[in-house]
C-alpha cells in the first residue's frame, strides 16, 4: 500500500494542527519534503532502488542514517526523514532531517557486493551530501564499515578530506568512541528517568525487547548489567521467553555465533507477534516500523512502551494505547542518543579537537535528561491530556516554524 507509513504522519499533523493552532500553510510546510533524490544503482548486473531525502533544512544541514533493507521504499525513507527533522529539533541539534535507503537484502550479498553497493550510493548522491549539506549515518543493516567505504568514496569524488560528511565511522577514521552503543545508551538513560518518574519497582519489573541489533542488543545488555529482569528478546527469525528472566550475556554469545537468538535452552521459542503481547511491564521496541497497529494494540499488556525503533506504533494504535493509559515514550526522544553522539563526532571532525569519552558521556546524559524533562513539563502544561509523542512533536514543530519565519521562508 502506497504511503502506509507517511499517512500516519499526516494524520498526526492534522490532530496537532488543532492542538497547536497551526495554520494550513504551516502544516503544509511540515508535510512536504524539501528534496527527494532517487536513483537506480547498477551493481554487478543488478538494478537497486536508492533514495536520499532531505525533509527540512531550516535548522541546519540534513542529518539522518542510511538503511539497507529489502522493504525500503520512498514512503519509508520520507517518513524516517520527517522523524529525523522532529528529533533533531526536539533535542536542540543544529540539523534538519534527512534519511537514505537502499532496497536490497544485505544478508544475501557477500562483502565485496556490500562494498560495491555502498560506494555506488555515494557515486550517485555525493553532490547532495557534505558536512554543511547533508550528513548520513548508520541505520538498519548498515554499520561503521559501510560508513568507512562511503567516506572513502566521497573523498575520492570530491578530492579532499572531509570526515564530517558522515558519522558513525570507525574510530581510526575519526569516529567517536561513544557512537556504537549511543542509541541504546540514550534509551537506557530515558528508561531510568521513566522508572524514577513513575516509581516502578526495579525488583519486580519484567521487560521484553523486540529487535536484537545495534539498538536492541545494547539496551538489553545495559538493562541486564544494571540488574533488570529481561524475560523475552527477539530478532527477525523469532523470539525467546522465560518468565524468570534470560541471561543476556549468554544470548549475545548465541546471537554472535548462530546469527539468531533462537534455541536458547533455558527459554521457549516464541513468535515476534507473540513477544509483543507478553505479560510484561516494559516493552522495548527496537526493530522496525508499524509493529503495534490497530490490529494488536488492544492485546498489548505492557503498561510502558519505550520506542527505540523509529515509528513502531501507528497513529491508530497510539489512540488505543492512550485510551488504555499505556505510557508510550516516543522514538523521537528515546532513540535520539544516536544522533546526539553523531553530532559530537561531527563537531570533533570539524574542529580537529578530540574530546574525552567521559566528558561526552556526561554531555549525552545531560542532553537526554534535558529533552526528557522538556517533554514531561510541557505535557503537564497540557494537563496530561495529550500523549508524550504529541507533546514532543509540538515542542519540535514550534521551533522549526519559528526558524522558518525568521528566515523569511514562511510568511504569516
Ligand atoms: P540493526 O540492523 O542493527 O538491527 C535490527 C534488528 O531488528 C535485528 O536484530 C533484526 O533481526 C531485527 N528485526 C528485523 N525485523 C524484525 C521483526 N519483524 N521482529 C523482530 N526483530 C526484527 O538495526 P538498529 O540500528 O538496531 O535499528 C533498529 C531500529 O532502531 C530502527 O528502527 C532504526 O531506525 C532505529 N534507530 C537506530 C539507530 C542506530 O544508531 N542504530 C538510531 C536511531 C534509531
Amino acid at each position: 500500500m502506497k504511503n502506509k507509513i507517511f499517512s500516519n504522519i499526516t494524520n498526526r499533523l492534522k490532530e496537532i494542527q488543532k492542538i497547536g493552532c497551526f495554520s494550513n500553510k504551516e502544516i503544509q510546510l511540515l508535510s512536504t519534503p524539501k528534496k527527494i533524490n532517487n536513483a537506480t544503482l547498477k551493481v554487478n548486473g543488478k538494478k537497486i532502488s536508492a533514495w536520499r531525502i532531505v525533509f527540512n533544512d531550516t535548522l541546519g544541514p540534513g542529518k539522518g542514517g542510511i538503511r539497507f533493507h529489502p522493504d525500503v521504499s520512498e514512503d519509508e525513507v520520507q517518513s524516517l526523514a520527517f522523524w529525523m527533522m522532529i528529533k533533531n529539533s526536539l533535542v536542540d541539534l543544529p540539523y534538519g532531517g534527512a534519511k537514505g535507503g537502499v532496497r536490497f537484502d544485505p544478508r544475501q550479498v557477500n562483502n565485496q557486493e556490500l562494498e560495491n553497493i555502498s560506494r555506488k550510493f555515494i557515486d550517485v548522491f555525493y553532490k547532495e551530501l557534505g558536512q554543511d549539506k547533508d550528513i548520513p549515518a548508520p541505520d538498519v543493516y548498515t554499520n561503521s564499515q559501510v560508513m568507512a567505504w562511503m567516506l572513502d568514496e566521497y573523498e575520492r569524488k570530491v578530492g579532499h578530506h572531509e570526515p564530517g560528511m558522515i558519522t558513525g565511522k570507525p574510530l581510526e577514521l575519526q569516529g567517536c568512541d561513544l557512537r556504537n552503543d549511543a542509541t541504546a545508551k540514550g534509551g537506557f538513560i530515558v528508561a531510568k528517568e521513566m522508572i524514577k518518574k513513575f516509581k516502578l519497582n526495579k525488583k519486580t519489573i519484567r521487560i521484553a525487547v523486540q529487535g536484537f541489533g545495534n539498538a536492541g542488543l545494547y539496551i538489553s545488555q545495559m538493562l541486564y548489567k544494571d540488574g533488570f529482569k529481561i524475560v523475552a528478546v527477539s530478532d527477525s527469525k523469532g523470539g525467546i521467553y522465560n518468565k524468570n528472566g534470560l541471561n543476556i550475556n549468554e544470548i549475545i554469545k548465541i546471537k554472535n555465533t548462530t546469527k539468531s537468538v533462537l534455541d536458547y535452552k533455558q527459554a521457549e521459542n516464541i513468535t515476534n507477534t507473540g513477544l509483543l503481547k507478553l505479560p510484561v511491564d516494559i516493552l522495548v521496541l527496537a526493530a522496525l516500523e508499524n509493529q503495534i497497529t490497530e490490529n494488536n494494540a488492544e492485546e498489548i499488556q505492557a503498561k510502558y512502551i519505550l520506542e527505540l525503533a523509529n515509528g513502531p506504533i501507528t497513529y491508530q494504535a497510539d489512540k488505543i494505547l492512550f485510551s488504555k493509559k499505556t505510557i508510550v515514550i516516543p522514538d523521537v526522544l528515546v532513540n535520539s542518543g544516536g544522533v546526539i553522539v553523531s553530532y559530537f563526532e561531527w563537531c570533533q571532525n570539524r574542529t580537529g579537537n578530540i574530546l574525552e569519552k567521559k566528558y561526552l558521556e556526561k554531555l549525552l546524559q545531560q542532553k537526554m535528561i534535558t529533552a526528557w524533562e522538556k517533554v514531561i513539563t510541557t505535557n503537564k502544561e497540557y494537563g496530561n491530556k495529550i500523549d508524550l509523542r504529541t507533546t514532543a512533536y509540538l515542542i519540535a514543530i514550534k521551533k522549526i516554524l519559528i526558524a522558518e519565519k525568521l528566515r523569511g521562508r514562511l510568511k504569516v
Side-chain angles (χ1 to χ4, degrees), residues 113-371:
E113 277 180 278
L114 194 63
E115 176 174 346
N116 294 346
I117 294 168
S118 305
R119 288 188 183 276
K120 200 70 184 175
F121 182 90
I122 295 298
D123 288 350
V124 299
F125 293 132
Y126 78 96
K127 286 189 182 147
E128 305 296 331
L129 305 173
Q131 64 177 8
D132 291 314
K133 201 167 183 183
D134 181 9
I135 309 137
D139 190 69
V140 174
Y141 296 143
T142 51
N143 56 20
S144 58
Q145 174 60 77
V146 171
M147 300 302 111
W149 288 323
M150 289 184 166
L151 172 71
D152 186 66
E153 190 64 18
Y154 179 83
E155 292 184 341
R156 213 175 57 81
K157 282 278 190 200
V158 297
H160 62 258
H161 281 289
E162 195 183 317
M165 66 73 52
I166 200 161
T167 58
K169 301 178 291 293
L171 264 184
E172 295 76 6
L173 293 175
Q174 301 190 44
C176 176
D177 228 0
L178 244 59
R179 182 62 182 86
N180 207 23
D181 61 1
T183 303
K185 199 166 268 163
F188 179 67
I189 294 165
V190 172
K192 300 272 280 191
E193 289 302 306
M194 177 190 85
I195 287 162
K196 203 162 54 178
K197 175 176 167 51
F198 295 105
K199 299 187 177 67
L200 307 187
N201 181 354
K202 185 175 175 181
K203 287 196 187 119
T204 59
I205 294 173
R206 295 149 305 161
I207 304 174
V209 181
Q210 186 201 40
F212 210 63
N214 178 292
L217 182 151
Y218 284 123
I219 199 164
S220 300
Q221 195 176 42
M222 288 168 199
L223 289 163
Y224 182 68
K225 194 171 165 210
D226 204 47
F228 286 95
K229 189 188 279 180
I230 300 180
V231 296
V233 296
S234 70
D235 60 26
S236 59
K237 296 187 181 125
I240 49 175
Y241 174 56
N242 181 336
K243 68 176 175 19
N244 298 316
L246 303 170
N247 182 330
I248 295 299
N249 295 336
E250 287 298 316
I251 293 160
I252 292 173
K253 279 190 209 150
I254 293 173
K255 172 83 180 169
N256 286 340
T257 35
T258 67
K259 305 273 173 242
S260 154
V261 297
L262 292 179
D263 298 328
Y264 171 60
K265 291 212 168 44
Q266 282 83 42
E268 58 177 294
N269 285 349
I270 54 168
T271 61
N272 255 311
T273 46
L275 177 135
L276 299 173
K277 301 173 196 166
L278 286 173
V280 293
D281 304 285
I282 302 176
L283 179 59
V284 180
L285 299 174
L288 294 168
E289 304 88 36
N290 290 0
Q291 297 302 302
I292 304 186
T293 67
E294 69 224 80
N295 299 326
N296 62 355
E298 280 297 356
E299 296 167 272
I300 306 299
Q301 298 193 59
K303 274 278 155 239
Y304 301 88
I305 302 180
L306 271 184
E307 288 186 325
L308 210 48
N310 284 305
I313 302 180
T314 65
Y315 174 72
Q316 296 301 342
D318 254 352
K319 302 276 132 222
I320 299 168
L321 294 170
F322 190 64
S323 68
K324 282 172 57 171
K325 298 196 170 29
T326 308
I327 308 282
V328 176
I329 317 292
D331 48 7
V332 289
L333 170 65
V334 179
N335 70 31
S336 60
V339 70
I340 291 173
V341 172
S342 273
Y343 164 68
F344 298 161
E345 182 176 334
W346 180 75
C347 289
Q348 293 190 141
N349 294 158
R350 309 201 65 175
T351 59
N353 190 11
I354 308 295
L355 299 165
E356 279 277 319
K357 188 175 176 189
K358 282 226 158 349
Y359 169 74
L360 292 178
E361 273 172 352
K362 210 167 140 198
L363 221 55
L364 171 65
Q365 171 100 7
Q366 275 171 6
K367 272 195 112 28
M368 293 303 306
I369 292 180
T370 303

Side-chain angles (χ1 to χ4, degrees), residues 79-80 82-91 190 307-312 329-337 339-340 368 371 375 388-394 396:
S79 306
L80 288 161
F82 172 91
W83 291 321
M84 285 308 299
M85 165 186 82
I86 297 289
K87 192 185 310 180
N88 290 331
S89 173
L90 177 71
V91 297
V190 172
E307 288 186 325
L308 210 48
N310 284 305
I329 317 292
D331 48 7
V332 289
L333 170 65
V334 179
N335 70 31
S336 60
V339 70
I340 291 173
M368 293 303 306
V375 172
L388 296 178
R389 188 189 320 280
T390 309
T391 312
Y393 276 39
L394 281 165

